[in-house]
């Protein structure tokens, strides 16, 4: 984790930017000038090391029990600058004394905010990137949060600055008097789909992006207060928009001020893009070198200080296809959040977006099952806490002891994620390669069959054609019977039919397909074909 002493990252900045919208000081000293070095997610089940001057986000920490004062003291002893605890925060004398004695500020976090999103939000408000380093700015007083506050003061209204996918990249500290859509927008750092869909149906965005003046909207979406919006444009490129909640149209002076402010915001967005692009290109380059193997992998590992540690690949991606723009924004947000999530437990890990998915390369201390289980748990927790409209899944590759063999772990991870995507209706969202070997084999066989142009025929094809022609469920019945090892009562119950009806279906199957279900070779062949037809997942075709 990086130490950013001497930069503008301090607790005063955090309070000024997030204000009462998300955080309220509950105990401890006011430390406006206290330097902040990093943001750490604290999981009680797997506590990370707390570095000096860190802001610690207390995931699942309950304020009010007898252990809370001890937790405050421990964080203070480690040199933490502040604790953020979910509301309600109960502060007794012991907690107050521990906070004052340890020179640590305790903030209450408004209910409903996702910890993953809060980690990204606090890092952004402090001008820290996902690696904990200060964001390079030509003029730090003109960053996006400061500009949002300036526009808010100009209009006497709560303000957000959003990109083209309605993702919030900055907002004013004062969000008093907002409505429920704005509250949800701030908590999720994204305008909810319900409201953006309504705006698209009304043609709000084309009208907004075509106007060189602020656009007033009396009712931009159901259940919203009136808003005024101004496009943010650099040259011929629209970068996003500024939104303010106002009771009535702006005065001419306010309109002019908002239009001028949008030009300054455009410059700040361009600077942020350049900085992010440089960091992203370096990360993508090093990740690609790791996957290439050989001397390239060793060189990248040296730059990343991996040394000779065993490592594995973890890949995150959307479970299903969806709206391209929204999904791209969700992947970008997830990539940032994953870096924050990994940093406390695996500080040397890297996470980069490549080809529409996020690859994480995680060095570990030992190549054993315990290490894989810990990463699987981390991935499961991350997905469960990720507040996004896109549903994610993750594949975990094997641990390799030689960094030059990471391509093997990547192949494992990619195949595992493909298996999960082939069965989106199941509840499992994270898996190891070793746990899905049979399904992966079925996918491989299906790919080979498709590549060779081989057409599956035989009795199952006859049953599929019969079902298509007559609207019956013979294939589904056969599948259920095979899955339940010939138990008619259990198979019938699964399909919600009487067992006598099910027995009749089995007789029809044998007659139409001209097979004998008491033949073990026939049953094996049918089971294999059912798997192949389902693309590696038994229920994917149902």
């Amino acid at each position: 984790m990086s130490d950013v002493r001497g930069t503008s990252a301090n607790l005063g900045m955090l309070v000024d930017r997030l204000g009462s919208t998300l955080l309220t000081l509950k105990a401890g000293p006011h430390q406006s000038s206290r330097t902040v070095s990093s943001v750490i997610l604290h999981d009680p089940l797997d506590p990370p090391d707390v570095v000096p001057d860190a802001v610690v986000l207390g995931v699942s920490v309950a304020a009010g029990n007898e252990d809370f004062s001890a937790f405050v003291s421990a964080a203070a002893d480690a040199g933490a600058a502040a604790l953020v605890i979910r509301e309600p925060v109960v502060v007794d004398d012991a907690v107050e004394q521990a906070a004052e004695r340890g020179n640590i500020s305790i903030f209450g976090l408004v209910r409903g905010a996702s910890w993953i999103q809060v980690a990204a939000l606090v890092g952004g408000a402090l001008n820290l990137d996902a690696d904990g380093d200060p964001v390079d700015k030509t003029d730090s007083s003109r960053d996006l949060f400061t500009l949002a506050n300036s526009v808010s003061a100009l209009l006497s209204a709560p303000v957000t600055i959003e990109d083209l996918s309605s993702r919030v990249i900055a907002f004013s500290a004062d969000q008093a008097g907002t409505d429920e859509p704005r509250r949800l927008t701030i908590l999720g750092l994204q305008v909810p789909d319900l409201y953006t869909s309504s705006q698209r149906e009304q043609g709000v965005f084309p009208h907004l992006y075509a106007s060189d003046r602020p656009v007033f909207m009396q009712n931009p979406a159901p259940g919203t207060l009136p808003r005024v919006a101004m496009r943010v444009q650099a040259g011929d490129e629209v970068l996003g928009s500024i939104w303010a909640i106002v009771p009535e149209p702006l005065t001419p002076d306010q309109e002019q001020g908002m239009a001028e402010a949008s030009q300054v915001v455009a410059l700040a967005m361009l600077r942020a893009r350049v900085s992010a692009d440089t960091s992203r290109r370096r990360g993508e380059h090093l990740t690609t070198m790791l996957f290439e193997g050989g001397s390239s992998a060793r060189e990248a590992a040296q730059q990343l200080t991996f040394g000779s540690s065993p490592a594995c690949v973890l890949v995150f991606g959307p479970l299903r296809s969806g709206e391209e723009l929204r999904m791209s924004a969700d992947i970008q947000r997830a990539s940032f959040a994953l870096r924050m999530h990994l940093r406390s437990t695996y500080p040397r890990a890297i996470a980069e977006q490549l080809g529409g998915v996020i690859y994480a390369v995680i060095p570990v201390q030992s190549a054993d099952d315990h290490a894989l289980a810990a990463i699987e748990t981390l991935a499961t927790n991350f997905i469960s806490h990720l507040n996004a409209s896109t549903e994610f899944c993750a594949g975990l590759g094997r641990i390799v002891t030689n960094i030059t063999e990471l391509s093997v772990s990547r192949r494992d991870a990619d195949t595992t994620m493909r298996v999960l995507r082939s069965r989106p209706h199941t509840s499992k969202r994270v898996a190891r390669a070793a746990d899905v070997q049979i399904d992966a084999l079925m996918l491989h066989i299906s790919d080979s069959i498709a590549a060779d142009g081989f057409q599956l025929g035989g009795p199952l094809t006859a049953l599929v054609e019969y079902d298509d022609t007559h609207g019956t469920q013979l294939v589904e019945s056969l599948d259920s019977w095979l899955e339940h090892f010939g138990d008619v009562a259990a198979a019938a119950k699964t399909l919600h039919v009487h067992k006598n009806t099910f027995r009749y279906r089995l007789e029809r199957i044998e007659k139409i397909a001209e097979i004998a279900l008491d033949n073990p070779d026939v049953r094996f062949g049918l089971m294999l074909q059912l798997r192949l037809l389902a693309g590696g997942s038994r229920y994917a075709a149902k």
Side-chain angles (χ1 to χ4, degrees):
M1 299 180 191
S2 303
D3 190 337
V4 294
R5 296 180 189 279
T7 73
S8 59
N10 54 57
L11 284 183
M13 180 183 293
L14 184 64
V15 174
D16 289 344
R17 294 178 177 182
L18 302 190
S20 59
T21 306
L22 294 178
L23 301 177
T24 304
L25 183 64
K26 296 293 185 179
H30 293 269
Q31 304 182 84
S32 297
S33 60
R34 176 75 179 269
T35 297
V36 173
S37 63
S38 60
V39 182
I40 294 177
L41 282 162
H42 181 279
D43 186 344
L45 299 179
D46 190 13
D49 293 331
V50 177
V51 299
D53 298 322
V55 172
V56 180
L57 306 182
V59 179
S60 301
V61 174
N65 61 36
E66 57 185 13
D67 297 326
F68 185 46
S69 60
F71 175 69
V72 173
S73 296
D77 291 343
L83 290 175
V84 179
I85 309 297
R86 178 88 69 188
E87 296 274 17
V89 179
V90 179
V91 177
D92 56 21
D93 291 341
V95 170
E96 185 68 56
Q97 292 172 9
E100 291 290 345
R101 184 172 57 252
N103 199 35
I104 186 170
S105 303
I106 301 176
F107 293 94
L109 172 68
V110 65
R111 297 183 66 86
S114 159
W115 283 112
I116 298 297
Q117 300 296 357
V118 169
L121 186 59
V122 172
L126 292 171
N127 290 340
L128 301 176
D129 64 16
D131 297 320
D133 297 321
V135 176
D136 182 21
K137 293 187 180 295
T138 305
D139 181 357
S140 62
S141 68
R142 289 196 163 196
D143 70 3
L144 290 168
F145 277 90
T146 301
L147 290 171
N149 281 333
S150 298
V151 178
S152 175
L154 171 70
L155 305 180
S156 299
V159 165
T160 58
I161 300 175
E162 302 169 12
D163 65 12
L164 292 176
S165 60
S166 298
R167 181 175 66 94
V168 176
I169 54 179
F171 57 87
S172 60
D174 183 10
Q175 292 288 325
T178 56
D179 49 25
E180 182 64 7
R182 173 60 66 82
R183 189 186 77 85
L184 295 175
T185 295
I186 296 296
L187 291 179
L189 293 180
Q190 177 77 49
V191 180
D193 287 336
L194 172 65
Y195 303 103
T196 54
S197 297
S198 176
Q199 290 170 342
R200 283 193 293 270
E201 291 173 2
Q202 296 181 55
V204 167
F205 295 110
H207 179 51
L208 170 61
Y209 296 150
S211 175
D212 60 359
R213 305 297 295 174
V215 176
F216 177 77
M217 290 162 273
Q218 183 65 43
N219 184 28
T224 63
L225 295 171
R227 280 163 168 72
V228 63
M230 178 70 207
R231 76 181 183 192
V232 177
Q233 182 170 325
D236 295 331
E237 181 184 4
V238 176
L239 303 175
S241 51
I242 305 171
W243 292 76
I245 296 179
V246 295
E248 57 190 10
L250 303 181
T251 66
D253 287 344
Q254 287 176 323
E255 279 197 2
Q256 182 62 29
M258 191 175 189
E260 292 175 354
S262 72
Q263 298 174 19
V264 182
V265 170
L267 292 175
M269 290 180 72
L270 287 175
R271 285 199 299 268
R273 176 197 286 180
V274 170
S275 176
D277 285 348
T278 300
S279 176
R280 184 175 64 250
R281 283 196 299 270
R282 178 179 182 274
E284 290 175 354
H285 177 64
L286 290 174
T287 304
T288 301
M289 289 175 64
L290 285 174
F291 293 156
E292 286 177 354
S295 59
S296 294
R298 283 191 289 270
E299 180 184 345
Q302 184 176 6
Q303 292 188 48
L304 294 165
T305 67
F306 280 8
S308 58
S309 298
C312 67
V313 175
L314 179 65
V315 60
F316 289 83
L319 182 67
R320 301 176 178 86
S321 59
E323 181 190 342
E324 185 176 353
L325 188 60
R326 175 55 60 85
M327 185 174 290
S328 177
D330 283 343
I331 293 172
Q332 183 179 358
R333 293 166 60 204
S335 179
F336 185 99
L338 179 60
R339 295 187 195 105
M340 299 288 295
H341 196 63
L342 286 170
R343 198 174 66 202
S344 59
T345 308
Y346 301 96
R348 293 185 297 156
I350 62 170
E352 294 295 335
Q353 182 180 337
L354 296 175
V357 296
I358 307 163
Y359 287 102
V361 180
I362 305 175
V364 293
Q365 293 182 347
S366 59
D368 55 28
D369 187 72
H370 176 74
L372 271 181
I375 296 173
E376 184 179 11
T377 299
L378 178 144
T380 302
N381 290 338
F382 175 76
I383 287 179
S384 66
H385 288 96
L386 189 60
N387 183 17
S389 58
T390 300
E391 190 172 8
F392 283 83
C393 62
L396 177 57
R398 75 189 75 176
I399 295 177
V400 295
T401 55
N402 191 329
I403 204 72
T404 62
E405 298 175 352
L406 268 176
S407 59
V408 176
S409 185
R410 178 192 181 179
R411 185 170 62 248
D412 282 351
D414 286 338
T415 301
T416 303
M417 186 170 68
R418 186 183 171 198
V419 169
L420 294 174
R421 285 173 164 175
S422 74
R423 51 188 193 191
H425 301 297
T426 64
S427 60
K428 196 169 185 62
R429 294 292 174 265
V430 179
R432 306 186 212 177
D435 296 335
V436 296
Q437 285 184 341
I438 299 300
D439 290 300
L441 177 61
M442 292 300 102
L443 285 173
H444 180 70
I445 296 174
S446 295
D447 290 343
S448 298
I449 290 173
D452 294 339
F454 182 77
Q455 296 292 325
L456 288 175
L460 192 60
T461 301
L463 293 175
V464 170
E465 292 175 351
Y466 188 89
D467 279 347
D468 290 342
T469 302
H470 298 85
T472 53
Q473 296 176 303
L474 298 184
V475 173
E476 188 176 15
S477 300
L478 175 62
D479 191 13
S480 181
W481 182 75
L482 290 170
E483 183 182 357
H484 289 91
F485 301 101
D487 187 333
V488 171
K493 184 178 181 181
T494 299
L495 297 184
H496 307 291
V497 298
H498 193 275
K499 58 185 179 180
N500 289 337
T501 301
F502 197 89
R503 290 193 181 94
Y504 173 74
R505 289 184 181 180
L506 292 177
E507 294 174 0
R508 295 292 297 158
I509 289 170
E510 289 188 311
K511 181 177 181 180
I512 293 168
E514 299 180 353
I515 55 176
L517 292 177
D518 60 354
N519 186 320
D521 290 334
V522 170
R523 293 196 301 272
F524 174 76
L526 291 170
M527 292 177 68
L528 181 59
Q529 279 192 282
L530 282 166
R531 284 290 186 118
L532 294 175
L533 284 175
S537 174
R538 179 173 297 276
Y539 290 104
K542 294 184 180 179

